Amino acid sequence: MPATSADRLVEHVARLGEEHPPIPLDAVDLTVRDPLAFEARFGHVLDYMARVELEVDRNVLELTTMLPDPPEVDVFFYRDVWQPQEIQHGRILDALQVRLGRQPADADLDSIGTKLKVLGALAHLGPFQDVCRMLYYVTGMATERSAVLAYNLLHDGVREMGETAIAETVIAPIKRQEPGHYAFYQLSARGLWAELAPWQRFLVRLMRRLSFSPVGANNPEQLADFGDVMRTLHIDEDSDFTAQIARVEMELLWARDKGLPVPPYVTRAFTEALELARARAAA
């Protein structure tokens, strides 16, 4: 029998786990040639990325709340592959920033908001759970695409500083694991979107528009922190960063809105992050 899309998705997740096991801490070289300069330029970037990666523990709690009866492949992915990989990313980046004399990342590992609990209660109704699943997939796409692009830019900047050990044994191995996560979300999103009824698609569009925020930015201070990361990595209003992270989301959710390169809520959120960062720096 020919393989189904579900079979291919399971094979993809299994291959991710086999080919990209969690990176052990003793496999990286945290040697920094110029700690003061490196910390001044990238310390806050490391802190933000470490926090986001470590908070996957909370993200898994959120998923188990929001998706009471998820497909087995989703659980296989986030419990057995994604979480172990991402936790190690966070631990490595956190160890690096501590080596630079910074405080460990202040990660929120267990809080679940009221809105998410309400979604979880509604998701016991199968058709509504499919809406939540679609939100999970499009959020995952944006998150992982942001990570891929940010790690690529960070890798370039670290190499530019001559910090070869960090670039090649820390950033490069981490950034190699992110595209596989993005592929999982993209394949899942394309498959589920084709199955949704018009009213489910309407809800996905509405809830995505209301809930979108850059990865790891859950309040104005964190949004300003994200803006600082954007500024350090030279991501501004003129870059195509937002277009790249929202390309598939735009194609699926907003294909009817021809001529829009990026959903307005995405542009608005990233612009706000930059404005908050600039205002904080000016103050």
Side-chain angles (χ1 to χ4, degrees):
M1 294 179 61
T4 66
S5 57
D7 293 332
R8 288 192 291 270
L9 198 56
V10 171
E11 291 171 1
H12 172 73
V13 176
R15 189 164 56 251
L16 280 182
E18 293 167 2
E19 296 179 359
H20 298 282
I23 304 165
L25 189 56
D26 59 10
V28 304
D29 183 353
L30 299 181
T31 302
V32 180
R33 294 171 57 253
D34 189 343
L36 290 177
F38 188 70
E39 192 280 330
R41 181 172 176 183
F42 291 121
H44 65 288
V45 176
L46 296 174
D47 180 65
Y48 195 94
M49 290 180 163
R51 177 179 63 80
V52 170
E53 301 279 24
L54 290 170
E55 287 181 345
V56 300
D57 275 346
R58 190 194 75 238
N59 298 151
V60 170
L61 289 177
E62 292 172 339
L63 287 171
T64 57
T65 300
M66 186 173 72
L67 304 176
D69 187 27
E72 289 184 7
V73 67
D74 285 22
V75 179
F76 179 25
F77 172 73
Y78 67 67
R79 184 190 63 195
D80 299 332
V81 177
W82 178 73
Q83 183 186 29
Q85 291 177 351
E86 300 283 347
I87 285 294
Q88 281 305 106
H89 297 175
R91 289 171 177 164
I92 289 167
L93 295 173
D94 213 27
L96 175 56
Q97 74 161 343
V98 170
R99 175 74 67 92
L100 296 173
R102 298 177 60 87
Q103 293 297 310
D106 183 17
D108 177 0
L109 304 181
D110 53 19
S111 68
I112 299 177
T114 302
K115 291 179 181 179
L116 204 62
K117 292 177 182 177
V118 172
L119 282 181
L122 293 172
H124 284 280
L125 303 172
F128 192 82
Q129 179 173 240
D130 287 343
V131 171
C132 294
R133 279 177 57 209
M134 192 67 201
L135 288 170
Y136 162 50
Y137 297 147
V138 295
T139 299
M141 281 195 300
T143 296
E144 297 298 341
R145 189 60 181 157
S146 295
V148 169
L149 298 173
Y151 279 123
N152 282 337
L153 293 170
L154 178 61
H155 183 262
D156 292 344
V158 172
R159 281 184 58 87
E160 179 186 282
M161 292 191 73
E163 299 292 356
T164 307
I166 301 302
E168 302 310 321
T169 75
V170 175
I171 309 303
I174 289 175
K175 76 187 185 77
R176 278 196 292 269
Q177 293 190 338
E178 302 293 352
H181 303 163
Y182 176 78
F184 168 81
Y185 293 122
Q186 181 181 188
L187 291 169
S188 299
R190 290 186 185 281
L192 181 58
W193 186 252
E195 300 173 2
L196 296 182
W199 70 267
Q200 291 172 305
R201 293 185 175 191
F202 170 80
L203 276 183
V204 170
R205 292 187 183 103
L206 175 64
M207 294 169 69
R208 182 59 171 163
R209 193 163 52 230
L210 295 174
S211 65
F212 179 84
S213 64
V215 56
N218 303 305
N219 55 55
E221 182 179 0
Q222 291 178 348
L223 191 58
D225 292 340
F226 184 82
D228 282 334
V229 171
M230 292 177 65
R231 295 177 72 193
T232 297
L233 298 180
H234 304 296
I235 301 167
D236 57 27
E237 293 91 344
D238 296 326
S239 75
D240 64 348
F241 189 87
T242 54
Q244 290 194 55
I245 70 163
R247 181 177 59 82
V248 177
E249 179 171 338
M250 188 72 205
E251 174 190 329
L252 292 177
L253 273 62
W254 308 102
R256 59 189 182 180
D257 298 330
K258 301 298 184 183
L260 277 178
V262 183
Y265 54 83
V266 176
T267 303
R268 187 164 54 248
F270 281 83
T271 299
E272 184 182 1
L274 284 170
E275 290 174 347
L276 287 172
R278 288 167 180 154
R280 187 169 65 182

